[in-house]
C-alpha cells in the first residue's frame, strides 16, 4: 500500500521530528536539568506550543479511526464531543487555570492535596498511574498498532514496538519541553494530512465541482448525516442519546478530561505565565473546531461514495472503523505518505504525552512524596526518565 515515495515522506517526517526533539532536549545539559525543567518545561512554554501540544496529546488513532467510522454510521452528530470540548477549554482557561497556577502545582494529585489532604493525594496518584498505564497508554498503543498494521501490513506487535520506541527516543531526555515543542510539528502534520484526505474525498464526491461542490452534494443527498441531535428512533440513539448527551453527563466527562487530566493540563502548568496558558487553551479550542472537518466529514463522504458504487458498501458496513483506511486507498502516492505520517504523529504524540505525565505523577507524588525524599534534582529527573522507559 505504501510506495517508495510514501516511505520517503514518512522517513523525512521522522528525521525532522527527531532532529527538533534532540535540539530542544540538549539545549540544556541533562545533568543540570531540574524537576521543573523536565516535568514542566522550566515554566517557559508559549501559548502556541501549549495549544498545539494539547491537541496533539488528545488526538490519536482512536479519534481519527473511530470518528471517521462514526461519520459513516451516524454523521456530524459525533462532532458534539469535539465542539463541546472547545467550550470547556474556554471555561477551564477562565476559571481553573488561575487557581492551578497560583498554587504552583506540578500535578493534579498536588492540587487535591491542597483541598483534601495527603491521603486523597496519594490515593489518586496511585489510581492515575494505574489508569494511565493500564487503560489510556495501553489503548493508544494497541489501537495505534492495529491501525499501522492495517495500513502498512506490518504485524501488530512490531508496529507497537516501533511506536513505543519512537515516542521514547524523541521525548525521553527533554521531558515536557521536547514533547510540547515537537508537538508543533505533529499538529502541522496531523492537520495537513487530515485536510489532504478530506479534500481528496470531497473532490471525488463533487465529480468536477470541487471540494465545496462535493460538500454541498453531501448536505443535499444525505441531510440526515448533518443533524447534530439524533431522534429517539435513530439506530445510534443508544450511543448518542440526543439532546440529553449535550445537556447532561458529557459536561462531566469534558471537565474531567480537559480540566483535571494530567496529560492534558500539564502543558498549561508549564506555561511562562497565566496569560500564555489561557491563550494556549483558546488556541486549542480553535483547533478543536477543525477536527470534525478532517475526520468526520471524510466518513460521511465514504457513505455517499459507497451508495454510488465507488466504495465497497458491504466492507464498510461490516467494519465502519475501516473507513479511514479505505479512504486512504483513494489518496495518490506521496500524499498517502503524508496522511500516514499524520496518523503516526497522532499516535506517538499521545504516547509521549501520557508517558511524560505518568512519570511526572509517579516521580513527584509517589516516589518523592511517599518513598524517597530529600534527594537531588538530577536524581528525580533520572527517576522520571526510568519511569518513562
Amino acid at each position: 500500500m505504501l510506495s517508495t515515495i510514501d516511505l520517503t515522506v514518512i522517513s523525512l517526517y521522522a528525521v525532522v521530528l527527531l532532529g527538533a526533539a534532540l535540539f530542544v532536549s540538549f539545549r540544556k545539559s541533562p545533568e543540570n536539568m531540574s524537576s521543573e525543567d523536565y516535568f514542566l518545561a522550566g515554566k517557559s512554554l508559549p501559548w502556541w506550543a501549549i495549544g498545539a501540544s494539547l491537541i496533539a496529546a488528545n488526538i490519536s488513532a482512536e479519534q481519527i479511526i473511530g470518528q471517521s467510522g462514526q461519520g459513516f454510521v451516524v454523521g456530524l452528530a459525533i462532532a458534539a464531543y469535539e465542539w463541546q470540548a472547545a467550550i470547556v477549554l474556554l471555561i477551564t482557561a477562565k476559571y481553573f487555570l488561575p487557581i492551578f497556577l497560583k498554587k504552583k502545582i506540578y500535578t493534579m494529585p498536588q492540587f487535591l492535596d491542597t483541598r483534601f489532604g495527603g491521603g486523597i493525594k496519594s490515593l489518586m496518584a496511585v489510581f492515575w498511574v494505574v489508569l494511565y498505564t493500564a487503560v489510556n497508554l495501553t489503548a493508544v498503543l494497541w489501537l495505534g498498532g492495529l491501525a499501522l498494521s492495517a495500513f502498512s501490513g506490518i504485524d501488530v506487535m512490531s508496529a507497537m514496538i516501533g511506536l513505543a520506541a519512537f515516542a521514547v527516543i524523541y521525548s525521553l531526555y527533554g521531558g515536557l519541553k521536547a514533547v510540547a515543542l515537537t508537538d508543533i510539528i505533529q499538529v502541522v502534520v496531523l492537520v495537513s494530512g487530515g485536510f489532504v484526505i478530506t479534500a481528496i474525498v470531497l473532490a471525488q464526491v463533487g465529480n468536477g465541482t470541487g471540494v465545496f461542490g462535493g460538500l454541498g452534494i453531501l448536505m443535499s443527498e444525505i441531510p440526515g448525516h448533518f443533524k447534530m441531535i439524533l431522534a429517539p428512533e435513530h439506530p445510534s440513539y443508544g450511543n448518542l442519546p440526543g439532546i440529553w448527551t449535550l445537556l447532561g453527563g458529557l459536561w462531566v466527562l469534558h471537565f474531567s478530561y480537559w480540566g483535571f487530566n494530567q496529560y492534558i493540563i500539564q502543558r498549561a502548568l508549564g506555561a511562562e505565565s497565566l496569560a500564555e496558558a489561557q491563550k494556549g487553551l483558546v488556541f486549542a479550542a480553535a483547533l478543536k473546531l477543525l477536527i470534525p472537518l478532517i475526520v468526520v466529514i471524510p466518513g460521511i463522504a465514504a457513505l455517499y461514495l459507497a451508495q454510488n458504487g465507488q466504495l465497497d458498501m458491504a466492507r464498510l458496513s461490516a467494519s465502519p472503523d475501516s473507513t479511514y483506511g479505505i479512504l486512504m486507498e483513494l489518496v495518490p502516492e506521496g500524499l498517502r505518505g503524508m496522511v500516514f505520517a499524520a496518523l503516526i504523529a497522532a499516535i506517538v504524540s499521545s504516547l509521549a504525552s501520557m508517558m511524560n505525565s505518568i512519570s511526572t505523577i509517579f516521580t513527584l507524588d509517589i516516589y518523592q512524596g511517599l518513598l524517597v525524599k530529600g534527594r537531588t534534582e538530577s536524581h528525580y529527573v533520572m527517576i522520571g526518565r526510568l519511569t518513562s522507559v
Side-chain angles (χ1 to χ4, degrees):
M1 181 178 178
L2 295 175
S3 67
T4 302
I5 299 174
D6 296 325
L7 294 174
T8 302
V9 171
I10 295 167
S11 300
L12 180 62
Y13 150 74
V15 169
V16 170
L17 185 71
L18 288 175
L22 292 175
F23 174 76
V24 171
S25 298
F26 291 102
R27 290 184 69 182
K28 187 167 189 174
S29 59
E31 61 271 13
N32 294 327
M33 189 174 286
S34 67
S35 295
E36 185 176 277
D37 291 329
Y38 188 75
F39 297 114
L40 287 187
K43 287 187 173 291
S44 63
L45 293 180
W47 64 269
W48 40 270
I50 294 167
S53 192
L54 276 166
I55 297 304
N58 166 239
I59 302 299
S60 190
E62 68 269 29
Q63 276 90 354
I64 293 175
I65 294 170
Q67 289 200 32
S68 293
Q70 286 300 297
F72 175 81
V73 175
V74 177
L76 203 58
I78 197 66
Y81 284 96
E82 304 299 319
W83 289 336
Q84 193 168 334
I87 300 173
V88 173
L89 279 166
L90 299 180
I91 296 172
T92 299
K94 174 67 176 177
Y95 296 106
F96 297 159
L97 278 186
I99 299 171
F100 295 159
L101 296 182
K102 181 181 179 181
K103 293 183 179 296
K104 298 180 179 179
I105 60 172
Y106 282 44
T107 68
M108 285 296 101
Q110 289 177 2
F111 173 70
L112 292 175
D113 187 21
T114 67
R115 178 64 179 85
F116 299 107
I120 291 295
K121 170 192 169 183
S122 300
L123 176 66
M124 292 307 295
V126 173
F127 170 76
W128 270 323
V129 166
V130 173
L131 177 71
Y132 289 156
T133 307
V135 179
N136 299 67
L137 187 71
T138 314
V140 169
L141 191 57
W142 171 245
L143 292 172
L146 286 175
L148 261 63
S149 177
F151 299 156
S152 67
I154 304 170
D155 69 274
V156 175
M157 183 57 71
S158 296
M160 290 171 64
I161 292 171
L163 289 169
F166 190 33
V168 168
I169 289 169
Y170 89 81
S171 65
L172 183 64
Y173 277 96
L176 181 62
K177 179 172 281 189
V179 173
L181 294 181
T182 52
D183 276 345
I184 306 296
I185 301 172
Q186 305 279 46
V187 164
V188 169
V189 173
L190 194 160
V191 173
S192 300
F195 274 119
V196 163
I197 198 167
T198 300
I200 288 172
V201 296
L202 286 179
Q204 184 154 341
V205 170
N207 194 26
T209 62
V211 171
F212 292 104
L215 182 61
I217 290 171
L218 291 182
M219 295 178 72
S220 63
E221 294 294 323
I222 41 178
H225 268 54
F226 286 86
K227 292 183 178 179
M228 294 299 296
I229 307 297
L230 300 185
E233 61 270 15
H234 195 285
S236 296
Y237 185 80
N239 298 323
L240 200 65
I243 191 67
W244 298 112
T245 300
L246 305 182
L247 299 180
L250 194 56
W251 288 100
V252 178
L253 173 69
H254 276 310
F255 279 114
S256 171
Y257 186 88
W258 294 104
F260 300 91
N261 181 356
Q262 181 69 28
Y263 72 82
I264 292 296
I265 205 66
Q266 189 167 336
R267 284 111 185 85
L269 301 181
E272 59 186 45
S273 67
L274 173 60
E276 290 296 295
Q278 290 176 321
K279 286 188 288 186
L281 264 64
V282 172
F283 180 40
L287 291 174
K288 248 332 193 179
L289 299 178
L290 297 177
I291 301 302
L293 302 180
I294 61 177
V295 293
V296 180
I297 295 296
I300 300 174
L303 175 63
Y304 175 86
L305 293 174
Q307 288 176 342
N308 288 271
Q310 294 170 270
L311 292 177
D312 188 343
M313 177 65 84
R315 183 182 171 193
L316 285 165
S317 299
S319 178
D321 283 347
S322 67
T323 300
Y324 199 78
I326 292 172
L327 291 175
M328 278 185 68
E329 297 172 4
L330 304 177
V331 180
E333 290 185 2
L335 289 177
R336 189 182 303 158
M338 183 179 180
V339 174
F340 194 77
L343 182 62
I344 296 174
I347 298 166
V348 297
S349 59
S350 296
L351 285 176
S353 298
M354 292 176 188
M355 183 180 71
N356 182 263
S357 295
I358 291 166
S359 73
T360 302
I361 293 176
F362 176 81
T363 303
L364 300 183
D365 294 318
I366 298 175
Y367 184 82
Q368 183 182 28
L370 299 175
L371 303 175
V372 182
K373 300 180 180 180
R375 290 296 191 83
T376 63
E377 290 287 288
S378 60
H379 175 80
Y380 293 120
V381 171
M382 178 193 71
I383 294 300
R385 291 193 180 114
L386 289 174
T387 305
S388 293
V389 175

